[in-house]
Amino acid sequence: MLESVAASSPTMLAEATQPAPKYSAADLGKHYPHRRWMVMLGLMLVMSVGLTFLFCRDCKIWSEDFLVTFGYNFCYTTGLWLANGYPNEWLNRRVDWTVQPIRRFLITLAFSLVMSVLVILLVTGGFLVFYHHRPLSSLTWRPFVVPLLITVVVSLFLHSRSFLLGWREAAIQAERLQKENAQAQADSLRRQLDPHFLFNSLNALTSLVEENDPARASRFIRQLSQVYRYVLDSQEQEVVPLAEEIRFAEAYLFLQRTRLGEGVQVEMHLPPATELETLLVPPLALQLLLENALKHNATSQRDPLHISIRLDAPARTLVVRNTRRPRRLAEGESMGLGLNNLKARYAFLTTQPVSVEQTDTEFSVTLPVLELR
């Protein structure tokens, strides 16, 4: 539906400073791959030497038996580390310990056993054929005992570490989200009675009264009440139905029609409201984009600002576009934190990012839409 509406921008959305990115212990290996390889190789060498002295007490150092035993141990420990370490990191990106611990444990156990048996078979069979010059058919189960014991130790260490790091990261994110929500709520409470918004709204209401238009004045008061009630009710919610957000945006836009007239034209391409009830977005997300469009662009009756709101149902995204006519802002009028705050809120809800595109003539923001299951 096409609505010609006018809007100014009450700053209702809290703009909390996004915290600087921090790397977890699990990410350090990504930033220092050579150091990680050197440390792990050193540990494998130390472990191999220790096992060689343990299982070859009567061997002279640098003798053939000592070197062969060391070769066995080094191949086993390094192979088992690779076979358990990298699949464990691969699983970390697909099955979270903190979300599905039982499923993750079973998958990890299966991966560990299969990969470990393959490594043991490869190392034992290789030494049997190429060093002892015996057929592979003479391989028995006994050579598997000690390597599997090593596997248990290595696996317990790696998987316990992975579980603890995942739990720690989840706890940090939960604490960070709680802090950001507290900051957002405090800022929202502080800005609900924004002087400019109240001043503009009261001026518009005064004009209606002076023009002796009680019906429109009554509707204006109801819409103003609806806007403030929505802000208060949504403070404790992480997501709200898209239908409610759309109704709030319509009320927000109506409040400005009296003052700005046809200075802004908004096109909404949306399905019926009943189809939007199962779709979710963070509260005040749409209002922030409308507010930014009006705050950063010039509007006039002759040359109105065009805004388009479109739901891409197959892609589960809400696309908000506006024409660009940048205007100079007064110092302190915009801190530039609104979109960053919105991106941070989405980061805790979904892996889909908030997409921002800008050209010389158009500014576009694509919001992921969550689905109620």
Side-chain angles (χ1 to χ4, degrees):
M1 58 181 176
L2 175 63
E3 293 186 2
S4 288
V5 294
S8 65
S9 54
T11 310
M12 295 181 182
L13 181 63
E15 299 175 340
T17 304
Q18 185 177 7
K22 298 180 180 179
Y23 297 115
S24 65
D27 295 328
L28 293 179
K30 299 178 183 179
H31 301 281
Y32 303 98
H34 301 294
R35 181 182 300 179
R36 181 188 179 193
W37 269 96
M38 293 176 62
V39 171
M40 294 306 300
L41 184 59
L43 289 175
M44 294 303 105
L45 286 171
V46 171
M47 185 179 295
S48 300
V49 172
L51 291 172
T52 301
F53 280 109
L54 179 63
F55 295 112
C56 193
R57 299 177 182 177
D58 299 329
C59 300
K60 294 182 179 181
I61 299 179
W62 306 119
S63 65
E64 182 178 355
D65 289 341
F66 182 90
L67 294 177
V68 170
T69 304
F70 172 79
Y72 265 112
N73 292 327
F74 182 74
C75 290
Y76 279 131
T77 53
T78 304
L80 293 175
W81 163 53
L82 295 173
N84 287 274
Y86 281 94
N88 183 60
E89 293 182 0
W90 181 80
L91 286 173
N92 284 341
R93 297 190 292 268
R94 287 162 176 81
V95 185
D96 194 347
W97 276 108
T98 58
V99 177
Q100 298 174 310
I102 297 179
R103 180 167 178 252
R104 171 58 191 274
F105 173 75
L106 295 176
I107 294 176
T108 299
L109 182 62
F111 261 85
S112 179
L113 290 176
V114 171
M115 298 300 293
S116 298
V117 169
L118 289 176
V119 169
I120 295 171
L121 181 62
L122 181 63
V123 174
T124 304
F127 273 90
L128 185 68
V129 173
F130 296 107
Y131 178 74
H132 297 288
H133 304 291
R134 294 170 58 186
L136 193 60
S137 57
S138 62
L139 185 65
T140 63
W141 61 270
R142 292 182 180 179
F144 287 74
V145 175
V146 174
L148 282 177
L149 289 176
I150 298 174
T151 299
V152 171
V153 176
V154 174
S155 297
L156 284 176
F157 170 76
L158 290 175
H159 300 146
S160 298
R161 176 179 176 271
S162 177
F163 173 78
L164 291 174
L165 288 176
W167 174 81
R168 178 175 176 270
E169 188 67 22
I172 291 174
Q173 288 186 0
E175 183 179 355
R176 187 183 303 164
L177 177 60
Q178 185 178 6
K179 181 179 179 181
E180 288 188 354
N181 282 339
Q183 291 176 341
Q185 291 174 16
D187 200 41
S188 180
L189 284 172
R190 179 175 61 84
R191 293 185 151 192
Q192 280 171 21
L193 300 179
D194 181 78
H196 292 92
F197 174 58
L198 283 178
F199 179 78
N200 293 334
S201 299
L202 292 175
N203 274 344
L205 183 59
T206 301
S207 299
L208 293 177
V209 173
E210 292 176 349
E211 293 172 5
N212 196 20
D213 191 350
R216 198 174 179 191
S218 178
R219 184 184 177 189
F220 185 93
I221 293 173
R222 288 197 300 270
Q223 297 291 342
L224 181 63
S225 175
Q226 179 180 337
V227 165
Y228 274 90
R229 179 174 294 279
Y230 181 82
V231 173
L232 290 172
D233 292 344
S234 63
Q235 283 183 2
E236 302 296 331
Q237 302 181 42
E238 293 184 359
V239 292
V240 294
L242 181 57
E244 293 184 10
E245 184 75 5
I246 294 296
R247 285 194 291 269
F248 166 75
E250 291 174 342
Y252 162 73
L253 292 171
F254 171 81
L255 292 177
Q256 315 307 322
R257 183 176 301 173
T258 302
R259 189 171 70 89
L260 295 180
E262 302 298 326
V264 176
Q265 295 183 358
V266 177
E267 295 181 1
M268 292 189 178
H269 304 277
L270 302 169
T274 54
E275 299 182 20
L276 303 178
E277 293 292 342
T278 58
L279 303 178
L280 306 173
V281 293
L284 303 177
L286 180 56
Q287 186 268 344
L288 167 68
L289 302 183
L290 295 173
E291 180 183 38
N292 281 349
L294 296 166
K295 178 187 297 184
H296 294 279
N297 296 279
T299 63
S300 67
Q301 300 283 345
R302 296 181 178 179
D303 191 11
L305 178 70
H306 292 271
I307 301 176
S308 169
I309 303 174
R310 181 183 298 272
L311 176 67
D312 188 344
R316 286 291 186 269
T317 57
L318 185 68
V319 183
V320 180
R321 291 188 173 90
N322 64 267
T323 52
R324 290 191 68 228
R325 288 199 301 276
R327 70 181 183 89
R328 181 175 298 179
L329 299 178
E331 185 177 355
E333 184 176 353
S334 176
M335 301 298 292
L337 300 176
L339 278 177
N340 288 337
N341 177 270
L342 184 61
K343 291 178 181 178
R345 293 166 65 193
Y346 261 104
F348 289 103
L349 300 173
T350 178
T351 56
Q352 295 179 291
V354 175
S355 175
V356 179
E357 298 180 2
Q358 178 175 318
T359 66
D360 293 338
T361 59
E362 187 179 71
F363 187 84
S364 172
V365 178
T366 301
L367 299 178
V369 176
L370 310 177
E371 188 171 6
L372 182 63
R373 296 182 183 276

